[in-house]
Amino acid sequence: GDSVTQTEGLVTLTKGLPVMLNCTYQTTYSPFLFWYVQHLNEAPKLLLKSSTDNKRTEHQGFYATLHKSSSSFHLQKSSVQLSDSALYFCALISGSFNKLTFGAGTRLAVCP
Amino acid sequence: AQTIHQWPVAEIKAVGSPLSLGCTIKGKSSPNLYWYWQATGGTLQQLFYSITVGQVESVVQLNLSASRPKDDQFILSTEKLLLSHSGFYLCAWSHHRGRNTEVFFGKGTRLTVV
Protein backbone atom coordinates (compact mmCIF):
# COMPACT_ATOMS: atom_id res chain seq x y z
CA GLY A 1 0.00 0.00 0.00
CA ASP A 2 0.88 3.67 0.01
CA SER A 3 3.29 5.02 2.60
CA VAL A 4 4.89 8.33 3.53
CA THR A 5 8.12 8.70 5.50
CA GLN A 6 9.18 11.77 7.41
CA THR A 7 12.54 11.13 9.01
CA GLU A 8 12.74 14.02 11.46
CA GLY A 9 10.49 14.00 14.48
CA LEU A 10 11.66 17.36 15.77
CA VAL A 11 13.58 20.16 14.10
CA THR A 12 14.73 23.08 16.24
CA LEU A 13 16.05 26.22 14.56
CA THR A 14 16.84 29.82 15.29
CA LYS A 15 14.69 32.48 13.60
CA GLY A 16 16.01 33.55 10.21
CA LEU A 17 17.72 30.26 9.32
CA PRO A 18 16.71 28.04 6.39
CA VAL A 19 14.88 24.77 6.92
CA MET A 20 14.24 21.58 4.96
CA LEU A 21 11.79 18.95 6.16
CA ASN A 22 12.17 15.60 4.46
CA CYS A 23 9.40 13.59 2.86
CA THR A 24 9.66 10.44 0.79
CA TYR A 25 6.85 8.24 -0.38
CA GLN A 26 5.92 4.90 -1.88
CA THR A 27 2.99 4.31 -4.16
CA THR A 28 2.14 2.18 -7.14
CA TYR A 29 0.06 5.00 -8.62
CA SER A 30 0.99 8.35 -10.08
CA PRO A 31 1.71 10.41 -6.96
CA PHE A 32 -0.18 13.44 -5.66
CA LEU A 33 1.58 14.92 -2.63
CA PHE A 34 0.55 17.45 -0.02
CA TRP A 35 2.10 19.34 2.87
CA TYR A 36 -0.22 20.21 5.76
CA VAL A 37 0.63 22.44 8.72
CA GLN A 38 -1.00 22.10 12.12
CA HIS A 39 -0.58 24.73 14.80
CA LEU A 40 -1.19 23.84 18.44
CA ASN A 41 -4.78 22.81 19.16
CA GLU A 42 -5.86 23.61 15.61
CA ALA A 43 -6.89 21.57 12.61
CA PRO A 44 -4.39 20.81 9.83
CA LYS A 45 -4.37 23.28 6.94
CA LEU A 46 -3.10 22.73 3.43
CA LEU A 47 0.24 24.39 2.75
CA LEU A 48 1.31 22.99 -0.63
CA LYS A 49 0.28 20.35 -3.13
CA SER A 50 1.76 18.93 -6.33
CA SER A 51 1.51 16.17 -8.86
CA THR A 52 3.88 17.65 -11.45
CA ASP A 53 7.36 16.21 -11.66
CA ASN A 54 10.25 18.63 -11.15
CA LYS A 55 8.05 21.70 -10.80
CA ARG A 56 8.50 23.92 -7.73
CA THR A 57 5.31 24.92 -5.91
CA GLU A 58 5.28 27.79 -3.40
CA HIS A 59 3.00 29.24 -0.76
CA GLN A 60 3.55 31.59 2.19
CA GLY A 61 7.32 31.46 1.74
CA PHE A 62 7.42 27.66 1.78
CA TYR A 63 8.29 25.69 -1.32
CA ALA A 64 8.62 22.09 -2.44
CA THR A 65 9.44 20.20 -5.63
CA LEU A 66 8.08 16.76 -6.43
CA HIS A 67 10.86 14.50 -7.69
CA LYS A 68 9.43 11.24 -8.96
CA SER A 69 12.88 9.84 -9.65
CA SER A 70 13.71 9.91 -5.94
CA SER A 71 10.11 9.69 -4.64
CA SER A 72 10.60 12.86 -2.64
CA PHE A 73 8.68 16.03 -1.81
CA HIS A 74 10.83 17.93 0.70
CA LEU A 75 9.50 21.15 2.23
CA GLN A 76 11.81 24.17 2.39
CA LYS A 77 11.86 27.75 3.54
CA SER A 78 14.74 30.17 3.24
CA SER A 79 14.16 32.01 6.50
CA VAL A 80 11.96 30.62 9.27
CA GLN A 81 9.88 32.81 11.55
CA LEU A 82 8.61 32.24 15.10
CA SER A 83 5.11 31.80 13.69
CA ASP A 84 6.30 28.81 11.64
CA SER A 85 6.52 26.72 14.80
CA ALA A 86 4.02 23.91 14.18
CA LEU A 87 3.57 20.28 13.22
CA TYR A 88 4.13 19.59 9.51
CA PHE A 89 2.67 16.59 7.75
CA CYS A 90 3.49 15.23 4.34
CA ALA A 91 0.62 13.31 2.77
CA LEU A 92 -0.12 11.21 -0.30
CA ILE A 93 -3.48 10.58 -1.90
CA SER A 94 -4.17 7.03 -2.91
CA GLY A 95 -5.08 5.68 -6.31
CA SER A 96 -8.65 5.17 -5.10
CA PHE A 97 -8.81 8.92 -4.27
CA ASN A 98 -10.53 8.14 -0.98
CA LYS A 99 -7.58 7.84 1.34
CA LEU A 100 -5.05 10.47 2.30
CA THR A 101 -2.03 8.79 3.87
CA PHE A 102 -0.09 10.98 6.28
CA GLY A 103 3.52 10.75 7.39
CA ALA A 104 4.38 10.69 11.08
CA GLY A 105 4.83 14.45 11.11
CA THR A 106 7.75 16.75 11.90
CA ARG A 107 7.54 19.27 14.68
CA LEU A 108 9.31 22.51 13.80
CA ALA A 109 10.30 24.65 16.76
CA VAL A 110 11.67 28.11 15.95
CA CYS A 111 13.58 29.92 18.68
CA PRO A 112 14.22 33.67 19.00
CA ALA B 1 -18.16 29.26 0.69
CA GLN B 2 -18.08 25.85 2.24
CA THR B 3 -18.04 25.49 6.01
CA ILE B 4 -17.48 22.47 8.21
CA HIS B 5 -18.78 22.34 11.76
CA GLN B 6 -17.88 19.71 14.31
CA TRP B 7 -19.52 19.08 17.66
CA PRO B 8 -18.81 18.94 20.49
CA VAL B 9 -15.57 20.90 20.74
CA ALA B 10 -14.40 18.73 23.63
CA GLU B 11 -15.65 15.81 25.69
CA ILE B 12 -14.59 14.05 28.87
CA LYS B 13 -16.18 10.61 29.06
CA ALA B 14 -15.90 7.57 31.26
CA VAL B 15 -14.56 4.23 30.06
CA GLY B 16 -17.46 2.07 28.94
CA SER B 17 -19.78 4.99 28.18
CA PRO B 18 -21.22 5.66 24.71
CA LEU B 19 -20.00 8.39 22.36
CA SER B 20 -21.41 10.33 19.46
CA LEU B 21 -19.46 12.97 17.52
CA GLY B 22 -20.95 14.94 14.68
CA CYS B 23 -19.92 16.89 11.64
CA THR B 24 -21.90 19.03 9.17
CA ILE B 25 -20.70 20.45 5.86
CA LYS B 26 -22.53 23.41 4.38
CA GLY B 27 -22.20 24.90 0.92
CA LYS B 28 -21.06 21.75 -0.87
CA SER B 29 -23.28 19.04 -2.30
CA SER B 30 -22.23 15.40 -2.26
CA PRO B 31 -18.77 15.84 -0.76
CA ASN B 32 -16.48 12.98 0.12
CA LEU B 33 -16.43 12.82 3.92
CA TYR B 34 -13.74 11.48 6.25
CA TRP B 35 -13.06 10.85 9.93
CA TYR B 36 -9.49 11.07 11.20
CA TRP B 37 -8.03 10.36 14.62
CA GLN B 38 -4.90 11.91 16.06
CA ALA B 39 -3.13 10.97 19.30
CA THR B 40 -1.59 13.96 21.07
CA GLY B 41 1.29 15.16 18.91
CA GLY B 42 0.88 12.15 16.65
CA THR B 43 0.07 11.48 13.04
CA LEU B 44 -3.36 11.53 11.44
CA GLN B 45 -5.00 8.16 11.02
CA GLN B 46 -7.94 7.89 8.65
CA LEU B 47 -10.81 5.95 10.26
CA PHE B 48 -13.68 6.11 7.78
CA TYR B 49 -14.67 7.64 4.48
CA SER B 50 -17.98 8.11 2.71
CA ILE B 51 -18.66 9.10 -0.88
CA THR B 52 -22.45 9.12 -0.66
CA VAL B 53 -25.37 9.08 1.76
CA GLY B 54 -25.78 5.80 3.59
CA GLN B 55 -22.44 4.42 2.42
CA VAL B 56 -19.47 4.34 4.79
CA GLU B 57 -16.21 2.45 4.41
CA SER B 58 -13.98 1.56 7.34
CA VAL B 59 -10.24 2.06 6.98
CA VAL B 60 -9.08 0.79 10.38
CA GLN B 61 -10.79 -1.10 13.16
CA LEU B 62 -10.85 0.83 16.43
CA ASN B 63 -14.20 -0.32 17.90
CA LEU B 64 -15.83 2.74 16.35
CA SER B 65 -18.57 3.10 13.77
CA ALA B 66 -19.63 5.86 11.42
CA SER B 67 -22.79 6.77 9.60
CA ARG B 68 -23.87 9.28 6.99
CA PRO B 69 -27.59 9.86 7.54
CA LYS B 70 -27.72 12.96 5.32
CA ASP B 71 -25.63 14.26 2.44
CA ASP B 72 -24.09 16.93 4.65
CA GLN B 73 -23.77 15.01 7.92
CA PHE B 74 -21.25 12.47 9.21
CA ILE B 75 -21.50 10.81 12.63
CA LEU B 76 -18.84 8.88 14.56
CA SER B 77 -19.96 6.73 17.45
CA THR B 78 -19.33 3.83 19.77
CA GLU B 79 -21.40 2.09 22.42
CA LYS B 80 -18.47 1.52 24.75
CA LEU B 81 -15.45 3.81 25.03
CA LEU B 82 -11.94 2.56 25.73
CA LEU B 83 -9.05 4.53 27.20
CA SER B 84 -7.32 4.20 23.82
CA HIS B 85 -10.08 6.24 22.19
CA SER B 86 -8.70 9.42 23.73
CA GLY B 87 -7.37 11.87 21.18
CA PHE B 88 -8.31 14.47 18.62
CA TYR B 89 -11.04 13.56 16.14
CA LEU B 90 -11.17 15.44 12.88
CA CYS B 91 -13.91 15.44 10.31
CA ALA B 92 -12.87 16.37 6.78
CA TRP B 93 -14.31 16.73 3.30
CA SER B 94 -13.09 16.86 -0.26
CA HIS B 95 -14.48 17.52 -3.71
CA HIS B 96 -15.23 14.76 -6.17
CA ARG B 97 -12.33 15.79 -8.35
CA GLY B 98 -10.37 12.62 -8.37
CA ARG B 99 -6.69 12.96 -7.76
CA ASN B 100 -6.60 16.74 -8.10
CA THR B 101 -8.28 17.21 -4.77
CA GLU B 102 -7.67 18.79 -1.41
CA VAL B 103 -8.94 17.64 1.98
CA PHE B 104 -10.40 20.34 4.23
CA PHE B 105 -10.50 19.71 7.96
CA GLY B 106 -12.94 20.79 10.64
CA LYS B 107 -11.71 22.22 13.93
CA GLY B 108 -11.88 18.87 15.64
CA THR B 109 -13.20 17.34 18.85
CA ARG B 110 -10.79 16.66 21.69
CA LEU B 111 -11.88 13.50 23.52
CA THR B 112 -10.54 12.47 26.91
CA VAL B 113 -11.57 9.05 28.20
CA VAL B 114 -11.08 8.59 31.93
Side-chain angles (χ1 to χ4, degrees), chain A residues 5-26:
Chain A
T5 301
Q6 293 180 249
T7 52
E8 309 100 350
L10 172 65
V11 173
T12 304
L13 284 173
T14 302
K15 182 180 71 171
L17 291 179
V19 66
M20 184 170 84
L21 306 183
N22 291 314
C23 173
T24 56
Y25 63 88
Q26 277 191 306

Side-chain angles (χ1 to χ4, degrees), chain B residues 10-32:
Chain B
E11 279 264 50
I12 300 176
K13 303 277 283 185
V15 169
S17 64
L19 175 76
S20 181
L21 305 180
C23 169
T24 300
I25 292 86
K26 295 298 182 187
K28 174 63 185 167
S29 63
S30 303
N32 286 349

Side-chain angles (χ1 to χ4, degrees), chain B residues 3 9 13 17 29 31 47-49 54 56 61 63 66 73 76-77 105 107-108 112:
Chain B
T3 59
V9 172
K13 303 277 283 185
S17 64
S29 63
L47 302 176
F48 299 93
Y49 69 88
V56 177
Q61 280 298 327
N63 293 309
Q73 195 173 75
L76 182 71
S77 61
F105 288 89
K107 293 187 176 181
T112 304

Side-chain angles (χ1 to χ4, degrees), chain A residues 34-60:
Chain A
F34 303 80
W35 275 102
Y36 279 83
V37 57
Q38 185 180 26
H39 288 93
L40 193 62
N41 294 322
E42 293 184 7
K45 294 178 184 175
L46 182 70
L47 188 56
L48 295 170
K49 62 180 180 181
S50 180
S51 62
T52 306
D53 199 13
N54 298 318
K55 182 180 177 182
R56 176 164 150 162
T57 182
E58 299 188 39
H59 184 61
Q60 296 181 339

Side-chain angles (χ1 to χ4, degrees), chain B residues 13-90:
Chain B
K13 303 277 283 185
V15 169
S17 64
L19 175 76
S20 181
L21 305 180
C23 169
T24 300
I25 292 86
K26 295 298 182 187
K28 174 63 185 167
S29 63
S30 303
N32 286 349
L33 297 177
Y34 312 87
W35 277 111
Y36 283 84
W37 174 79
Q38 183 181 31
T40 303
T43 191
L44 293 147
Q45 172 66 64
Q46 187 173 343
L47 302 176
F48 299 93
Y49 69 88
S50 171
I51 61 173
T52 192
V53 175
Q55 182 179 336
V56 177
E57 300 294 331
S58 173
V59 178
V60 293
Q61 280 298 327
L62 284 179
N63 293 309
L64 296 166
S65 60
S67 63
R68 187 170 177 176
K70 301 178 184 178
D71 185 54
D72 64 353
Q73 195 173 75
F74 208 20
I75 306 295
L76 182 71
S77 61
T78 183
E79 293 185 1
K80 193 176 282 189
L81 278 166
L82 307 172
L83 285 173
S84 58
H85 286 137
S86 291
F88 197 36
Y89 288 85
L90 290 152

